[in-house]
Amino acid sequence: MGRAERHAQKRKEKRLKRKLERQSQLDLNSEGSMRKRMRRDVVPSTLRLIIDCSFDNLMELKDVKKLHKQIQRCYAENRKALHPVQFYLTSHGGQLKDSMNETDKGWVNWKDIHIKSEHYSELMKKEDLVYLTSDSPEVLNELDESKAYVIGGLVDHNHHKGITYKRAQELGISHAQLPLGIFVKMNSRKVLAVNHVYEIILAYLEKRNWEEAFFTVLPQRKGAKSLNEITDASTCKPQESEAVQDEDSDRT
């Protein structure tokens, strides 16, 4: 290759490089604009979603650490949700607080979350509270964004069956179970981790459709199938939908 050809080749490479740099910058600008547009589309919900951490003394440390991971997942999902809820951690202390201080010191700087040592009954009006528990005979048909929904922060429900329902009854507050059994048939035990319940609420606020919300969140390995594809959903009896430990929820 002669000198003239080498110069021509270098000029061509420089032009291509500049073109790629311009395109890369345009892509970055476009991505940034898209992110800004997405953030502009975010409309926070007035719904309050509470994780009740008052079961700390009923759990072993390994289960408390699992709950900690589930809470991290809830926080992350709420931060990127289209309709983020007003997030509360109540009765925060004991083993859970120690675990967070030890392995997640940044929690003190978390944004858009209310972390309280007080019990939720001290922070909310009694008439606003609805405890989400599978033992409730009431089925939640739709969300009322003026309410404060409570998820029991208890991982090992096998040793404390029905405790969240009993707590709701003792406090005289409303209670309900998610309509899981109306829409979903699952091969494994019908149980949901804390973060799954939380994510289903977020998904419902975006989609306004329980079935879509369930199938957006539920782990595929549970073999979840739509009851609408199997039988007439109106004849189905609601199934258990407790917020308990699930292996899939260990991922943060």
Side-chain angles (χ1 to χ4, degrees):
M1 183 184 293
R3 182 180 295 178
E5 290 173 321
R6 285 199 297 272
H7 282 309
Q9 181 67 25
K10 285 183 179 179
R11 284 196 298 271
K12 184 177 179 182
E13 289 173 356
K14 284 181 180 179
R15 284 197 301 271
L16 180 60
K17 185 180 179 182
R18 284 197 297 269
K19 182 180 178 181
L20 290 172
E21 286 173 348
R22 284 196 301 271
Q23 185 60 49
S24 177
Q25 189 59 48
L26 285 170
D27 289 345
L28 284 172
N29 291 340
S30 176
E31 188 178 330
S33 298
M34 188 178 295
R35 279 200 299 269
K36 287 177 183 177
R37 282 199 301 274
M38 286 174 69
R39 294 314 298 172
R40 280 203 300 270
D41 290 339
V42 169
V43 179
S45 171
T46 55
L47 182 147
R48 288 157 288 173
L49 197 50
I50 303 162
I51 296 180
D52 171 18
C53 303
S54 65
F55 305 99
D56 192 85
N57 64 329
L58 299 179
M59 290 187 287
E60 295 180 10
L61 182 58
K62 64 181 179 65
D63 290 328
V64 170
K65 289 183 176 181
K66 288 174 183 175
L67 175 62
H68 177 197
K69 287 185 177 183
Q70 293 174 20
I71 290 169
Q72 287 177 314
R73 179 72 173 264
C74 294
Y75 175 72
E77 291 299 321
N78 197 48
R79 291 280 290 167
K80 65 184 183 183
L82 193 61
H83 301 298
V85 296
Q86 310 303 308
F87 187 10
Y88 285 80
L89 282 187
T90 60
S91 300
H92 183 250
Q95 297 180 97
L96 177 62
K97 187 175 181 181
D98 289 344
S99 176
M100 293 173 74
N101 283 334
E102 182 183 342
T103 63
D104 187 22
K105 292 182 175 64
W107 72 267
V108 294
N109 298 316
W110 282 2
K111 298 177 181 178
D112 303 319
I113 184 172
H114 308 277
I115 301 178
K116 304 289 185 180
S117 59
E118 297 93 339
H119 191 267
Y120 58 84
S121 61
E122 300 175 56
L123 303 168
M124 310 288 171
K125 293 179 182 177
K126 188 175 179 179
E127 58 269 26
D128 289 350
L129 291 162
V130 181
Y131 215 116
L132 298 176
T133 169
S134 70
D135 295 297
S136 173
E138 305 296 327
V139 178
L140 192 66
N141 292 315
E142 59 183 52
L143 292 174
D144 181 344
E145 294 188 57
S146 69
K147 297 291 187 182
Y149 293 92
V150 185
I151 302 171
L154 178 62
V155 166
D156 189 3
H157 279 247
N158 291 325
H159 290 92
H160 306 283
K161 289 183 178 179
I163 192 169
T164 53
Y165 180 47
K166 288 175 186 172
R167 289 277 175 94
Q169 288 182 305
E170 287 167 2
L171 289 169
I173 62 175
S174 297
H175 44 77
Q177 62 168 291
L178 294 179
L180 180 67
I182 294 175
F183 298 100
V184 184
K185 178 177 176 60
M186 297 169 73
N187 291 338
S188 58
R189 187 176 169 219
K190 278 73 69 176
V191 294
L192 300 177
V194 169
N195 59 289
H196 289 150
V197 178
Y198 195 103
E199 290 172 53
I200 286 166
I201 298 295
L202 291 178
Y204 179 83
L205 288 172
E206 180 178 342
K207 300 172 184 302
R208 300 290 169 175
N209 180 296
W210 282 116
E211 187 172 13
E212 286 186 34
F214 288 133
F215 283 99
T216 298
V217 174
L218 291 177
Q220 291 300 309
R221 64 175 184 76
K222 280 185 168 288
K225 296 178 181 178
S226 171
L227 276 175
N228 288 332
E229 298 173 3
I230 301 170
T231 186
D232 182 3
S234 65
T235 65
C236 296
K237 181 182 178 182
Q239 300 167 3
E240 187 180 6
S241 57
E242 188 67 85
V244 302
Q245 164 59 16
D246 182 277
E247 293 170 15
D248 188 68
S249 66
D250 283 349
R251 298 197 304 271
T252 57

